[in-house]
Amino acid sequence: MYSQLGGTFPAPLFLFLAGISFALVTGKLWQKQLPPAQIADATIRRGAEIFAFGLLFRVQEYLIAWGWAPLSDLLRVDVLNTIGLSMMLMGVLCWIVLSVSGGEHARLALVLASCGTALLISLLTPPLWTTWRPDWLPWPLESYINGVHSLGAPQSWLFPIFPWTAFAFAGLAAGFILQSQWARDREALSFCLLGASGLVLIMAARWFDAQPRQLYRVYDYWHTSPDFFLLRLGMLLVILTGSYVWCRWGVGQRRAGLGFSPLIQLGQASLLVYWVHIEFVYGRVSILPKHAQSIRTASFGLLVIFLAMLALAFLRTRMKGRGVEMLAWFRRPARAG
């Protein structure tokens, strides 16, 4: 049960960290006193690039699976598509907030707007999957709202805007909080408070779920419930605090003997790692046969893919910007013996 619960976290982690990164970028542009429209142009354009990468990734997967993959797979709503859309939506939100609110109150407005948007997306998810389904839209468009794809009903294995972008907006709020001067002056305390807030959210989610009355006519805890969103958001905040502790004081600290942090190393090449690992975990060249592994073998496979992707990230960061130098090395004539 716990391993299956953990299996629901890669996508929320990607989106949550995308929100934090977006807040960092927006904060830097804001500190340069750029106008809101210029900040929005830069950030929304980056979101469009990620969305384009998502479409390109679907083309790659379709070509790899040529012969048995249906043509509709080209329009599947995957994580990269949703990350790109989330970034564009966050860019619009920041543009609106910064345009109407300035000065010292702008950061608070950004945090409140991000939290409110995340909550609203979560609350709207159940009806948009059931009683309020926009089935009057063509399925490629409706699929971005509830993951209906071409199958006539929302699919839990896809990543539509509802509920997944809520994690990005929650990360956006966390990023703006961590960028505040108060948090910078009390860095360790700030992360610990976020972790404590995560524990409160986990307990609140369990309490809400245990209530005899529910808000929705159709209640699906594992796929659309706001209670499950709160639970996972709470665990994301706990993971964020644990990551900070690992990188600040644990073995992941660069001066702790390893000479580098595996967590930071993977983060520096996260898009490449995501792009490559998908095929080795879920695709045709999977390193382990699917649906036929014991916990022991699956754990070994997890270790292998982790080490392989860590090596890939290490090579990527070491070779970045050195293409010309490497090309010159290969073209260097061999010395006479």
Side-chain angles (χ1 to χ4, degrees):
M1 180 186 71
Y2 289 110
S3 67
Q4 289 180 341
L5 177 63
T8 68
F9 274 90
L13 275 168
F14 266 113
L15 287 156
F16 186 72
L17 293 176
I20 292 178
S21 300
F22 194 93
L24 296 177
V25 172
T26 302
K28 288 181 179 179
L29 296 176
W30 183 26
Q31 288 175 356
K32 294 179 180 178
Q33 298 183 341
L34 296 179
Q38 190 171 347
I39 296 174
D41 179 69
T43 53
I44 293 174
R45 185 178 300 175
R46 178 56 178 166
E49 290 176 0
I50 298 297
F51 183 76
F53 278 130
L55 297 178
L56 180 62
F57 181 75
R58 295 306 333 146
V59 173
Q60 171 193 291
E61 293 299 286
Y62 178 75
L63 294 177
I64 291 176
W66 183 270
W68 61 271
L71 191 62
S72 61
D73 270 12
L74 289 171
L75 299 177
R76 182 192 299 180
V77 182
D78 218 330
V79 175
L80 277 182
N81 308 59
T82 305
I83 290 176
L85 278 176
S86 299
M87 293 174 68
M88 288 189 278
L89 292 173
M90 288 187 292
V92 172
L93 178 72
C94 292
W95 172 53
I96 295 173
V97 172
L98 292 176
S99 297
V100 300
S101 178
E104 58 183 14
H105 301 295
R107 186 177 302 278
L108 177 61
L110 287 167
V111 172
L112 293 177
S114 302
C115 290
T117 304
L119 182 61
L120 181 63
I121 292 172
S122 177
L123 291 173
L124 288 176
T125 296
L128 286 173
W129 278 50
T130 54
T131 55
W132 294 358
R133 265 190 59 193
D135 49 11
W136 44 272
L137 288 173
W139 72 259
L141 295 180
E142 184 188 354
S143 192
Y144 277 95
I145 296 175
N146 55 25
V148 70
H149 200 53
S150 60
L151 303 175
Q155 305 297 308
S156 60
W157 45 275
L158 295 177
F159 302 93
I161 293 173
F162 298 88
W164 294 99
T165 54
F167 292 107
F169 280 98
L172 184 67
F176 282 127
I177 290 172
L178 292 172
Q179 277 191 303
S180 67
Q181 192 59 49
W182 189 92
R184 290 175 180 273
D185 294 339
R186 304 164 181 83
E187 186 179 87
L189 176 61
S190 300
F191 276 95
C192 290
L193 287 175
L194 285 177
S197 301
L199 294 176
V200 172
L201 288 178
I202 292 171
M203 292 186 290
R206 292 175 62 87
W207 184 83
F208 284 132
D209 182 57
Q211 299 309 301
R213 293 186 179 182
Q214 299 296 337
L215 292 174
Y216 305 100
R217 186 188 309 173
V218 180
Y219 183 70
D220 185 350
Y221 178 81
W222 292 102
H223 299 129
T224 62
S225 167
D227 300 336
F228 190 40
F229 166 73
L230 285 180
L231 180 102
R232 287 193 286 183
L233 177 57
M235 296 187 72
L236 287 173
L237 292 172
V238 172
I239 292 172
L240 178 66
T241 302
S243 301
Y244 173 79
V245 171
W246 171 268
C247 293
R248 177 76 183 271
W249 297 296
V251 179
Q253 213 280 338
R254 291 184 182 273
R255 291 171 293 180
L258 291 178
F260 76 104
S261 167
L263 194 62
I264 295 174
Q265 189 72 66
L266 287 169
Q268 291 173 340
S270 57
L271 180 59
L272 176 65
V273 167
Y274 169 80
W275 196 289
V276 173
H277 98 282
I278 286 290
E279 203 56 42
F280 290 103
V281 176
Y282 303 105
R284 273 192 171 184
V285 292
S286 172
I287 61 175
L288 293 175
K290 302 178 183 66
H291 309 295
Q293 303 303 320
S294 64
I295 292 179
R296 182 177 181 179
T297 309
S299 300
F300 176 73
L302 178 63
L303 177 63
V304 169
I305 197 69
F306 168 75
L307 294 176
M309 294 302 100
L310 181 61
L312 177 65
F314 181 83
L315 291 174
R316 172 68 180 90
T317 54
R318 293 303 180 275
M319 292 190 303
K320 188 175 182 179
R322 300 178 61 186
V324 176
E325 179 183 340
M326 293 182 63
L327 184 61
W329 185 85
F330 281 112
R331 288 181 174 178
R332 187 181 304 162
R335 294 181 179 179

